[in-house]
Amino acid sequence: NAGVTQTPKFQVLKTGQSMTLQCAQDMNHEYMSWYRQDPGMGLRLIHYSVGAGITDQGEVPNGYNVSRSTTEDFPLRLLSAAPSQTSVYFCASRISGGNTGELFFGEGSRLTVL
Amino acid sequence: GNSVTQMEGPVTLSEEAFLTINCTYTATGYPSLFWYVQYPGEGLQLLLKATKADDKGSNKGFEATYRKETTSFHLEKGSVQVSDSAVYFCALTNTGNQFYFGTGTSLTVIP
């Protein structure tokens, strides 16, 4: 049972480079989301999606793009990386509907921007 | 707006000590409340949850009660073990689309 799978686990970029963090889930969850985790700040929501073709911004969306073409996949794109985007990124999914279902997290992707 | 405030760590306890990690929240409406745990190098895992006032969530000896009158959801465990060493996050959601997390509390349990 894979759950939520993120790749890559580690990445080093230079300022201005672009990259995509991949996220896939096999639980048939309609809701998927991306968070970043920074020391002393907890987790902050970047973007989320409630189903294929539907995305919305979270608390810190600037500098990131997302799309949702399938239920299983929700990639996060950095078009021009900046040192401020150095962080640990987590993808999470949940069952849609209501507010009682918990988030299921991937293992994280640690990104360093030089 | 919505927000979660956790007691700051780090917290260091001896094995078998009693644990309390405080969590208070600000929210509109009737949020669901969660405690997540993060072990080193891993993602967050759900520890317990409560979805309405006065509910008590429990798991692996941990407990937390949803107190609407004090807007709190404090995490407790009667006797901690070394294996409980981790970072603990309190979180809430109103709609299910946006979760709000506290800053995390690092717990170290020494033998």
Side-chain angles (χ1 to χ4, degrees), chain B residues 41-53:
Chain B
E42 298 184 9
L44 280 72
Q45 307 172 22
L46 178 71
L47 181 58
L48 53 85
K49 68 179 182 182
T51 59
K52 61 182 187 294

Side-chain angles (χ1 to χ4, degrees), chain A residues 18 57 71 107 112:
Chain A
S18 63
Q57 296 181 352
T71 300
E107 293 188 347
T112 302

Side-chain angles (χ1 to χ4, degrees), chain A residues 72-83:
Chain A
E72 293 79 19
D73 301 299
F74 191 45
L76 179 71
R77 298 183 185 86
L78 287 70
L79 298 181
S80 180

Side-chain angles (χ1 to χ4, degrees), chain A residues 31 35 37 40-43 45 48 50 57-59 90 94 98-103 105-107, chain B residues 30-32 34 36 38 41-44 46 49 51 89 93-99 101-103:
Chain A
Y31 176 94
Y35 287 83
Q37 182 181 26
M41 303 191 74
L43 278 77
L45 180 64
Y48 67 94
V50 297
Q57 296 181 352
E59 184 184 355
F90 288 99
R94 66 184 290 270
N99 71 345
T100 60
E102 68 268 24
L103 291 170
F105 283 86
E107 293 188 347
Chain B
Y30 302 94
S32 288
F34 304 82
Y36 283 87
Q38 183 180 32
E42 298 184 9
L44 280 72
L46 178 71
K49 68 179 182 182
T51 59
F89 291 91
T93 185
N94 261 317
T95 66
N97 288 339
Q98 300 207 30
F99 280 65
F101 287 83
T103 54

